[in-house]
Amino acid sequence: MKIGFFDSGIGGITVLHQALRFLPNEDYIFYADTLHVPYGEKPKEEVREYIFNAVDFMANQGIKALVIACNTATSIAVDELRQKYDFPILGIEPAVKPAVENCEGKRKKVLVLATSLTLREEKFHNLVKRIDHHDIVESLPLPGLVEFAENFEFREEKVVPYLKKQLSSFDLKQFGTVVLGCTHFPYFENSIKKIFPKDVDIISGSIGTAKNLKRVLEANNQMNDGTGDIKYFKSGYKVEDKETLSKYNELLVMLDRISSLTTLV
C-alpha cells in the first residue's frame, strides 16, 4: 500500500521530498488540487469541501497513511479527517515552537510567513498563545509566493522585488527566525535569505513531519519494501504527460540543492 500526500498544489512536494529522504523504500501517491489552488485566500467552508473530496479520492486508492502536506488544509480539517478515516493522518503546522525557543535567548522576534487563511485560523492563534509567552511572534501572509510556485516562477529577479515590497513595513533586524508556514515557501529559500540579515534562521516543519511519518509507520508495523515510486494526481486525474512529470522531477532536484542550505526542523 502507498502513502498519500495531499496539497492544494505543488507545495506539498517540499514535504514529499523530505519523506523520500527518510523513507526511500516506500511508494507514494501525490495529489495536488490544482483546480482549486490557492486555498489560502478562499472561504473556509469552500476549502473544507475541496479537502474532503480529495481525501475521499485518495482513500479509494488504498493508501495506508496520509500526510496533509498543506498548512491551510491541516488547520481547517485535520481533526475532522481523523474522525472519518481509519488510517493515520498527519498534518503540518508552522514551526512556531522551535522558532520561539531559538529566539528567546537572542532577544529576537519570530516572523511567521503563511497564507491568509492559515493565519486567521483559531488553530494557529491557539498555537501562538500556547508558546509565545513573551509576545515575540509576528506574522505576514504572502499569497504571491503560492502563485509564483504554481506558475513555476522561481527566478529571484521576479520573487525578490515582491518580497521586498511585502516586507517593507518590518524592521528585519528585529527577527531571529523566519518560519515558512506554507509548504510552497521552501522553494523560495534563497530569495528569502537575500532579504533578511545573514544571522536570521529560516525554518519549516517538513523534516519534523517526515520523521513523524516514519515513527507512525514503524509503530504500526507498516513499513514497506518499495522503490520510492510516485504516482501524481491533479484534482482526481492521474498525471501522465511527460512535460508535467518532468517539471515535478525538476522540483525534487531543486529541493535537493536547497536542502543543503536550509535549516529545517
PDB file of all heavy atoms in Angstrom, residues 37-68:
ATOM      1  N   VAL A  37      -6.507  25.571  -6.365  1.00  0.00           N
ATOM      2  CA  VAL A  37      -5.421  26.314  -5.754  1.00  0.00           C
ATOM      3  C   VAL A  37      -5.538  27.794  -6.157  1.00  0.00           C
ATOM      4  O   VAL A  37      -5.957  28.092  -7.283  1.00  0.00           O
ATOM      5  CB  VAL A  37      -4.052  25.716  -6.208  1.00  0.00           C
ATOM      6  CG1 VAL A  37      -3.795  25.930  -7.690  1.00  0.00           C
ATOM      7  CG2 VAL A  37      -2.910  26.213  -5.355  1.00  0.00           C
ATOM      8  N   PRO A  38      -5.262  28.752  -5.272  1.00  0.00           N
ATOM      9  CA  PRO A  38      -4.765  28.584  -3.897  1.00  0.00           C
ATOM     10  C   PRO A  38      -5.913  28.456  -2.900  1.00  0.00           C
ATOM     11  O   PRO A  38      -6.964  29.064  -3.081  1.00  0.00           O
ATOM     12  CB  PRO A  38      -3.985  29.870  -3.667  1.00  0.00           C
ATOM     13  CG  PRO A  38      -4.728  30.897  -4.468  1.00  0.00           C
ATOM     14  CD  PRO A  38      -5.218  30.176  -5.704  1.00  0.00           C
ATOM     15  N   TYR A  39      -5.700  27.672  -1.851  1.00  0.00           N
ATOM     16  CA  TYR A  39      -6.672  27.548  -0.772  1.00  0.00           C
ATOM     17  C   TYR A  39      -6.655  28.758   0.151  1.00  0.00           C
ATOM     18  O   TYR A  39      -7.666  29.135   0.722  1.00  0.00           O
ATOM     19  CB  TYR A  39      -6.357  26.312   0.079  1.00  0.00           C
ATOM     20  CG  TYR A  39      -6.806  24.981  -0.492  1.00  0.00           C
ATOM     21  CD1 TYR A  39      -6.524  23.805   0.200  1.00  0.00           C
ATOM     22  CD2 TYR A  39      -7.501  24.881  -1.688  1.00  0.00           C
ATOM     23  CE1 TYR A  39      -6.925  22.569  -0.283  1.00  0.00           C
ATOM     24  CE2 TYR A  39      -7.896  23.657  -2.193  1.00  0.00           C
ATOM     25  CZ  TYR A  39      -7.605  22.489  -1.479  1.00  0.00           C
ATOM     26  OH  TYR A  39      -7.998  21.276  -1.964  1.00  0.00           O
ATOM     27  N   GLY A  40      -5.491  29.342   0.333  1.00  0.00           N
ATOM     28  CA  GLY A  40      -5.273  30.305   1.397  1.00  0.00           C
ATOM     29  C   GLY A  40      -6.083  31.575   1.327  1.00  0.00           C
ATOM     30  O   GLY A  40      -6.205  32.292   2.315  1.00  0.00           O
ATOM     31  N   GLU A  41      -6.656  31.878   0.168  1.00  0.00           N
ATOM     32  CA  GLU A  41      -7.430  33.109   0.020  1.00  0.00           C
ATOM     33  C   GLU A  41      -8.921  32.821  -0.171  1.00  0.00           C
ATOM     34  O   GLU A  41      -9.689  33.734  -0.459  1.00  0.00           O
ATOM     35  CB  GLU A  41      -6.896  33.912  -1.170  1.00  0.00           C
ATOM     36  CG  GLU A  41      -5.395  34.169  -1.138  1.00  0.00           C
ATOM     37  CD  GLU A  41      -4.953  34.840   0.144  1.00  0.00           C
ATOM     38  OE1 GLU A  41      -5.538  35.882   0.497  1.00  0.00           O
ATOM     39  OE2 GLU A  41      -4.036  34.323   0.810  1.00  0.00           O
ATOM     40  N   LYS A  42      -9.348  31.566  -0.025  1.00  0.00           N
ATOM     41  CA  LYS A  42     -10.742  31.176  -0.251  1.00  0.00           C
ATOM     42  C   LYS A  42     -11.494  31.032   1.071  1.00  0.00           C
ATOM     43  O   LYS A  42     -10.894  30.877   2.139  1.00  0.00           O
ATOM     44  CB  LYS A  42     -10.799  29.853  -1.031  1.00  0.00           C
ATOM     45  CG  LYS A  42     -10.366  29.974  -2.485  1.00  0.00           C
ATOM     46  CD  LYS A  42     -10.520  28.636  -3.198  1.00  0.00           C
ATOM     47  CE  LYS A  42     -10.344  28.785  -4.710  1.00  0.00           C
ATOM     48  NZ  LYS A  42      -9.014  29.263  -5.082  1.00  0.00           N
ATOM     49  N   PRO A  43     -12.848  31.050   1.019  1.00  0.00           N
ATOM     50  CA  PRO A  43     -13.645  30.852   2.239  1.00  0.00           C
ATOM     51  C   PRO A  43     -13.397  29.474   2.847  1.00  0.00           C
ATOM     52  O   PRO A  43     -13.221  28.482   2.128  1.00  0.00           O
ATOM     53  CB  PRO A  43     -15.092  30.980   1.747  1.00  0.00           C
ATOM     54  CG  PRO A  43     -15.003  31.760   0.477  1.00  0.00           C
ATOM     55  CD  PRO A  43     -13.696  31.380  -0.146  1.00  0.00           C
ATOM     56  N   LYS A  44     -13.433  29.414   4.151  1.00  0.00           N
ATOM     57  CA  LYS A  44     -13.104  28.198   4.890  1.00  0.00           C
ATOM     58  C   LYS A  44     -13.991  27.020   4.501  1.00  0.00           C
ATOM     59  O   LYS A  44     -13.502  25.901   4.283  1.00  0.00           O
ATOM     60  CB  LYS A  44     -13.219  28.485   6.387  1.00  0.00           C
ATOM     61  CG  LYS A  44     -12.887  27.324   7.295  1.00  0.00           C
ATOM     62  CD  LYS A  44     -12.967  27.769   8.751  1.00  0.00           C
ATOM     63  CE  LYS A  44     -12.709  26.633   9.708  1.00  0.00           C
ATOM     64  NZ  LYS A  44     -12.759  27.099  11.115  1.00  0.00           N
ATOM     65  N   GLU A  45     -15.294  27.211   4.431  1.00  0.00           N
ATOM     66  CA  GLU A  45     -16.210  26.102   4.140  1.00  0.00           C
ATOM     67  C   GLU A  45     -15.991  25.557   2.736  1.00  0.00           C
ATOM     68  O   GLU A  45     -16.114  24.349   2.503  1.00  0.00           O
ATOM     69  CB  GLU A  45     -17.659  26.555   4.323  1.00  0.00           C
ATOM     70  CG  GLU A  45     -18.023  26.862   5.767  1.00  0.00           C
ATOM     71  CD  GLU A  45     -17.745  25.673   6.687  1.00  0.00           C
ATOM     72  OE1 GLU A  45     -18.041  24.527   6.288  1.00  0.00           O
ATOM     73  OE2 GLU A  45     -17.220  25.888   7.799  1.00  0.00           O
ATOM     74  N   GLU A  46     -15.695  26.433   1.802  1.00  0.00           N
ATOM     75  CA  GLU A  46     -15.414  26.005   0.438  1.00  0.00           C
ATOM     76  C   GLU A  46     -14.166  25.129   0.396  1.00  0.00           C
ATOM     77  O   GLU A  46     -14.145  24.064  -0.244  1.00  0.00           O
ATOM     78  CB  GLU A  46     -15.225  27.235  -0.459  1.00  0.00           C
ATOM     79  CG  GLU A  46     -14.938  26.927  -1.918  1.00  0.00           C
ATOM     80  CD  GLU A  46     -14.729  28.182  -2.745  1.00  0.00           C
ATOM     81  OE1 GLU A  46     -15.214  29.261  -2.321  1.00  0.00           O
ATOM     82  OE2 GLU A  46     -14.079  28.101  -3.792  1.00  0.00           O
ATOM     83  N   VAL A  47     -13.143  25.554   1.103  1.00  0.00           N
ATOM     84  CA  VAL A  47     -11.886  24.795   1.137  1.00  0.00           C
ATOM     85  C   VAL A  47     -12.095  23.440   1.815  1.00  0.00           C
ATOM     86  O   VAL A  47     -11.565  22.423   1.361  1.00  0.00           O
ATOM     87  CB  VAL A  47     -10.791  25.600   1.855  1.00  0.00           C
ATOM     88  CG1 VAL A  47      -9.534  24.756   2.053  1.00  0.00           C
ATOM     89  CG2 VAL A  47     -10.441  26.859   1.062  1.00  0.00           C
ATOM     90  N   ARG A  48     -12.879  23.413   2.891  1.00  0.00           N
ATOM     91  CA  ARG A  48     -13.142  22.146   3.581  1.00  0.00           C
ATOM     92  C   ARG A  48     -13.762  21.125   2.622  1.00  0.00           C
ATOM     93  O   ARG A  48     -13.408  19.940   2.641  1.00  0.00           O
ATOM     94  CB  ARG A  48     -14.064  22.367   4.780  1.00  0.00           C
ATOM     95  CG  ARG A  48     -14.349  21.062   5.524  1.00  0.00           C
ATOM     96  CD  ARG A  48     -15.315  21.235   6.669  1.00  0.00           C
ATOM     97  NE  ARG A  48     -14.661  21.778   7.852  1.00  0.00           N
ATOM     98  CZ  ARG A  48     -14.848  23.004   8.324  1.00  0.00           C
ATOM     99  NH1 ARG A  48     -15.679  23.822   7.696  1.00  0.00           N
ATOM    100  NH2 ARG A  48     -14.219  23.410   9.394  1.00  0.00           N
ATOM    101  N   GLU A  49     -14.685  21.559   1.790  1.00  0.00           N
ATOM    102  CA  GLU A  49     -15.310  20.658   0.814  1.00  0.00           C
ATOM    103  C   GLU A  49     -14.279  20.106  -0.173  1.00  0.00           C
ATOM    104  O   GLU A  49     -14.276  18.911  -0.479  1.00  0.00           O
ATOM    105  CB  GLU A  49     -16.415  21.395   0.051  1.00  0.00           C
ATOM    106  CG  GLU A  49     -17.146  20.510  -0.956  1.00  0.00           C
ATOM    107  CD  GLU A  49     -18.267  21.244  -1.675  1.00  0.00           C
ATOM    108  OE1 GLU A  49     -18.560  22.403  -1.305  1.00  0.00           O
ATOM    109  OE2 GLU A  49     -18.838  20.655  -2.609  1.00  0.00           O
ATOM    110  N   TYR A  50     -13.385  20.966  -0.655  1.00  0.00           N
ATOM    111  CA  TYR A  50     -12.336  20.504  -1.574  1.00  0.00           C
ATOM    112  C   TYR A  50     -11.451  19.452  -0.900  1.00  0.00           C
ATOM    113  O   TYR A  50     -11.081  18.444  -1.516  1.00  0.00           O
ATOM    114  CB  TYR A  50     -11.465  21.678  -2.017  1.00  0.00           C
ATOM    115  CG  TYR A  50     -12.168  22.746  -2.816  1.00  0.00           C
ATOM    116  CD1 TYR A  50     -11.751  24.083  -2.739  1.00  0.00           C
ATOM    117  CD2 TYR A  50     -13.248  22.432  -3.639  1.00  0.00           C
ATOM    118  CE1 TYR A  50     -12.391  25.068  -3.468  1.00  0.00           C
ATOM    119  CE2 TYR A  50     -13.892  23.422  -4.368  1.00  0.00           C
ATOM    120  CZ  TYR A  50     -13.457  24.731  -4.275  1.00  0.00           C
ATOM    121  OH  TYR A  50     -14.090  25.716  -4.999  1.00  0.00           O
ATOM    122  N   ILE A  51     -11.122  19.703   0.355  1.00  0.00           N
ATOM    123  CA  ILE A  51     -10.231  18.786   1.078  1.00  0.00           C
ATOM    124  C   ILE A  51     -10.866  17.408   1.205  1.00  0.00           C
ATOM    125  O   ILE A  51     -10.230  16.382   0.918  1.00  0.00           O
ATOM    126  CB  ILE A  51      -9.893  19.356   2.468  1.00  0.00           C
ATOM    127  CG1 ILE A  51      -9.058  20.638   2.345  1.00  0.00           C
ATOM    128  CG2 ILE A  51      -9.146  18.315   3.313  1.00  0.00           C
ATOM    129  CD1 ILE A  51      -8.954  21.427   3.638  1.00  0.00           C
ATOM    130  N   PHE A  52     -12.121  17.360   1.633  1.00  0.00           N
ATOM    131  CA  PHE A  52     -12.773  16.066   1.838  1.00  0.00           C
ATOM    132  C   PHE A  52     -12.969  15.322   0.516  1.00  0.00           C
ATOM    133  O   PHE A  52     -12.840  14.097   0.464  1.00  0.00           O
ATOM    134  CB  PHE A  52     -14.097  16.243   2.574  1.00  0.00           C
ATOM    135  CG  PHE A  52     -13.942  16.222   4.069  1.00  0.00           C
ATOM    136  CD1 PHE A  52     -13.631  17.379   4.759  1.00  0.00           C
ATOM    137  CD2 PHE A  52     -14.065  15.045   4.775  1.00  0.00           C
ATOM    138  CE1 PHE A  52     -13.459  17.362   6.128  1.00  0.00           C
ATOM    139  CE2 PHE A  52     -13.902  15.011   6.148  1.00  0.00           C
ATOM    140  CZ  PHE A  52     -13.593  16.175   6.835  1.00  0.00           C
ATOM    141  N   ASN A  53     -13.249  16.041  -0.554  1.00  0.00           N
ATOM    142  CA  ASN A  53     -13.366  15.388  -1.864  1.00  0.00           C
ATOM    143  C   ASN A  53     -12.033  14.751  -2.260  1.00  0.00           C
ATOM    144  O   ASN A  53     -11.992  13.621  -2.776  1.00  0.00           O
ATOM    145  CB  ASN A  53     -13.805  16.397  -2.924  1.00  0.00           C
ATOM    146  CG  ASN A  53     -15.257  16.811  -2.781  1.00  0.00           C
ATOM    147  OD1 ASN A  53     -16.042  16.110  -2.137  1.00  0.00           O
ATOM    148  ND2 ASN A  53     -15.614  17.935  -3.352  1.00  0.00           N
ATOM    149  N   ALA A  54     -10.951  15.466  -2.022  1.00  0.00           N
ATOM    150  CA  ALA A  54      -9.628  14.952  -2.386  1.00  0.00           C
ATOM    151  C   ALA A  54      -9.260  13.731  -1.548  1.00  0.00           C
ATOM    152  O   ALA A  54      -8.745  12.730  -2.067  1.00  0.00           O
ATOM    153  CB  ALA A  54      -8.575  16.050  -2.208  1.00  0.00           C
ATOM    154  N   VAL A  55      -9.518  13.801  -0.248  1.00  0.00           N
ATOM    155  CA  VAL A  55      -9.143  12.689   0.626  1.00  0.00           C
ATOM    156  C   VAL A  55     -10.027  11.476   0.355  1.00  0.00           C
ATOM    157  O   VAL A  55      -9.550  10.335   0.431  1.00  0.00           O
ATOM    158  CB  VAL A  55      -9.189  13.119   2.106  1.00  0.00           C
ATOM    159  CG1 VAL A  55      -8.849  11.937   3.013  1.00  0.00           C
ATOM    160  CG2 VAL A  55      -8.201  14.261   2.348  1.00  0.00           C
ATOM    161  N   ASP A  56     -11.289  11.689   0.024  1.00  0.00           N
ATOM    162  CA  ASP A  56     -12.144  10.566  -0.389  1.00  0.00           C
ATOM    163  C   ASP A  56     -11.533   9.846  -1.584  1.00  0.00           C
ATOM    164  O   ASP A  56     -11.488   8.605  -1.633  1.00  0.00           O
ATOM    165  CB  ASP A  56     -13.545  11.064  -0.756  1.00  0.00           C
ATOM    166  CG  ASP A  56     -14.424  11.314   0.463  1.00  0.00           C
ATOM    167  OD1 ASP A  56     -14.081  10.805   1.555  1.00  0.00           O
ATOM    168  OD2 ASP A  56     -15.428  12.023   0.322  1.00  0.00           O
ATOM    169  N   PHE A  57     -11.066  10.617  -2.550  1.00  0.00           N
ATOM    170  CA  PHE A  57     -10.441  10.029  -3.741  1.00  0.00           C
ATOM    171  C   PHE A  57      -9.213   9.215  -3.350  1.00  0.00           C
ATOM    172  O   PHE A  57      -9.027   8.084  -3.813  1.00  0.00           O
ATOM    173  CB  PHE A  57     -10.057  11.135  -4.726  1.00  0.00           C
ATOM    174  CG  PHE A  57      -9.329  10.632  -5.938  1.00  0.00           C
ATOM    175  CD1 PHE A  57     -10.027  10.239  -7.067  1.00  0.00           C
ATOM    176  CD2 PHE A  57      -7.937  10.543  -5.954  1.00  0.00           C
ATOM    177  CE1 PHE A  57      -9.362   9.764  -8.197  1.00  0.00           C
ATOM    178  CE2 PHE A  57      -7.264  10.071  -7.067  1.00  0.00           C
ATOM    179  CZ  PHE A  57      -7.980   9.678  -8.190  1.00  0.00           C
ATOM    180  N   MET A  58      -8.378   9.777  -2.505  1.00  0.00           N
ATOM    181  CA  MET A  58      -7.144   9.096  -2.126  1.00  0.00           C
ATOM    182  C   MET A  58      -7.431   7.842  -1.299  1.00  0.00           C
ATOM    183  O   MET A  58      -6.756   6.821  -1.431  1.00  0.00           O
ATOM    184  CB  MET A  58      -6.229  10.052  -1.363  1.00  0.00           C
ATOM    185  CG  MET A  58      -5.801  11.244  -2.192  1.00  0.00           C
ATOM    186  SD  MET A  58      -4.548  12.242  -1.373  1.00  0.00           S
ATOM    187  CE  MET A  58      -3.109  11.232  -1.636  1.00  0.00           C
ATOM    188  N   ALA A  59      -8.447   7.906  -0.452  1.00  0.00           N
ATOM    189  CA  ALA A  59      -8.814   6.734   0.343  1.00  0.00           C
ATOM    190  C   ALA A  59      -9.214   5.576  -0.563  1.00  0.00           C
ATOM    191  O   ALA A  59      -8.917   4.408  -0.270  1.00  0.00           O
ATOM    192  CB  ALA A  59      -9.946   7.083   1.298  1.00  0.00           C
ATOM    193  N   ASN A  60      -9.842   5.894  -1.670  1.00  0.00           N
ATOM    194  CA  ASN A  60     -10.256   4.855  -2.618  1.00  0.00           C
ATOM    195  C   ASN A  60      -9.083   4.255  -3.383  1.00  0.00           C
ATOM    196  O   ASN A  60      -9.239   3.232  -4.059  1.00  0.00           O
ATOM    197  CB  ASN A  60     -11.289   5.416  -3.606  1.00  0.00           C
ATOM    198  CG  ASN A  60     -12.639   5.674  -2.954  1.00  0.00           C
ATOM    199  OD1 ASN A  60     -13.008   4.981  -2.000  1.00  0.00           O
ATOM    200  ND2 ASN A  60     -13.365   6.661  -3.449  1.00  0.00           N
ATOM    201  N   GLN A  61      -7.906   4.894  -3.270  1.00  0.00           N
ATOM    202  CA  GLN A  61      -6.702   4.347  -3.895  1.00  0.00           C
ATOM    203  C   GLN A  61      -6.022   3.313  -2.993  1.00  0.00           C
ATOM    204  O   GLN A  61      -5.038   2.694  -3.396  1.00  0.00           O
ATOM    205  CB  GLN A  61      -5.707   5.462  -4.213  1.00  0.00           C
ATOM    206  CG  GLN A  61      -6.256   6.584  -5.072  1.00  0.00           C
ATOM    207  CD  GLN A  61      -6.715   6.117  -6.435  1.00  0.00           C
ATOM    208  OE1 GLN A  61      -5.978   5.436  -7.143  1.00  0.00           O
ATOM    209  NE2 GLN A  61      -7.947   6.466  -6.785  1.00  0.00           N
ATOM    210  N   GLY A  62      -6.535   3.150  -1.771  1.00  0.00           N
ATOM    211  CA  GLY A  62      -5.980   2.145  -0.875  1.00  0.00           C
ATOM    212  C   GLY A  62      -4.732   2.576  -0.138  1.00  0.00           C
ATOM    213  O   GLY A  62      -3.848   1.768   0.099  1.00  0.00           O
ATOM    214  N   ILE A  63      -4.662   3.849   0.248  1.00  0.00           N
ATOM    215  CA  ILE A  63      -3.480   4.331   0.960  1.00  0.00           C
ATOM    216  C   ILE A  63      -3.460   3.805   2.396  1.00  0.00           C
ATOM    217  O   ILE A  63      -4.507   3.556   2.996  1.00  0.00           O
ATOM    218  CB  ILE A  63      -3.403   5.865   0.953  1.00  0.00           C
ATOM    219  CG1 ILE A  63      -4.656   6.486   1.575  1.00  0.00           C
ATOM    220  CG2 ILE A  63      -3.181   6.386  -0.457  1.00  0.00           C
ATOM    221  CD1 ILE A  63      -4.596   7.992   1.706  1.00  0.00           C
ATOM    222  N   LYS A  64      -2.255   3.646   2.951  1.00  0.00           N
ATOM    223  CA  LYS A  64      -2.107   3.159   4.334  1.00  0.00           C
ATOM    224  C   LYS A  64      -1.885   4.296   5.328  1.00  0.00           C
ATOM    225  O   LYS A  64      -2.007   4.108   6.537  1.00  0.00           O
ATOM    226  CB  LYS A  64      -0.952   2.174   4.422  1.00  0.00           C
ATOM    227  CG  LYS A  64       0.417   2.764   4.113  1.00  0.00           C
ATOM    228  CD  LYS A  64       1.502   1.712   4.231  1.00  0.00           C
ATOM    229  CE  LYS A  64       2.877   2.270   3.917  1.00  0.00           C
ATOM    230  NZ  LYS A  64       3.924   1.232   4.012  1.00  0.00           N
ATOM    231  N   ALA A  65      -1.551   5.469   4.826  1.00  0.00           N
ATOM    232  CA  ALA A  65      -1.363   6.656   5.660  1.00  0.00           C
ATOM    233  C   ALA A  65      -1.485   7.876   4.763  1.00  0.00           C
ATOM    234  O   ALA A  65      -1.265   7.783   3.542  1.00  0.00           O
ATOM    235  CB  ALA A  65      -0.010   6.645   6.358  1.00  0.00           C
ATOM    236  N   LEU A  66      -1.826   9.000   5.365  1.00  0.00           N
ATOM    237  CA  LEU A  66      -1.997  10.235   4.597  1.00  0.00           C
ATOM    238  C   LEU A  66      -1.287  11.382   5.290  1.00  0.00           C
ATOM    239  O   LEU A  66      -1.418  11.569   6.501  1.00  0.00           O
ATOM    240  CB  LEU A  66      -3.485  10.577   4.460  1.00  0.00           C
ATOM    241  CG  LEU A  66      -3.808  11.906   3.771  1.00  0.00           C
ATOM    242  CD1 LEU A  66      -3.383  11.886   2.308  1.00  0.00           C
ATOM    243  CD2 LEU A  66      -5.289  12.229   3.897  1.00  0.00           C
ATOM    244  N   VAL A  67      -0.530  12.135   4.513  1.00  0.00           N
ATOM    245  CA  VAL A  67       0.087  13.365   5.001  1.00  0.00           C
ATOM    246  C   VAL A  67      -0.630  14.546   4.360  1.00  0.00           C
ATOM    247  O   VAL A  67      -0.664  14.666   3.130  1.00  0.00           O
ATOM    248  CB  VAL A  67       1.590  13.419   4.660  1.00  0.00           C
ATOM    249  CG1 VAL A  67       2.185  14.758   5.107  1.00  0.00           C
ATOM    250  CG2 VAL A  67       2.328  12.265   5.320  1.00  0.00           C
ATOM    251  N   ILE A  68      -1.227  15.382   5.196  1.00  0.00           N
ATOM    252  CA  ILE A  68      -1.818  16.635   4.701  1.00  0.00           C
ATOM    253  C   ILE A  68      -0.674  17.628   4.607  1.00  0.00           C
ATOM    254  O   ILE A  68      -0.324  18.306   5.579  1.00  0.00           O
ATOM    255  CB  ILE A  68      -2.921  17.152   5.643  1.00  0.00           C
ATOM    256  CG1 ILE A  68      -3.977  16.075   5.894  1.00  0.00           C
ATOM    257  CG2 ILE A  68      -3.560  18.419   5.061  1.00  0.00           C
ATOM    258  CD1 ILE A  68      -4.742  15.671   4.669  1.00  0.00           C
TER     259      ILE A  68
END
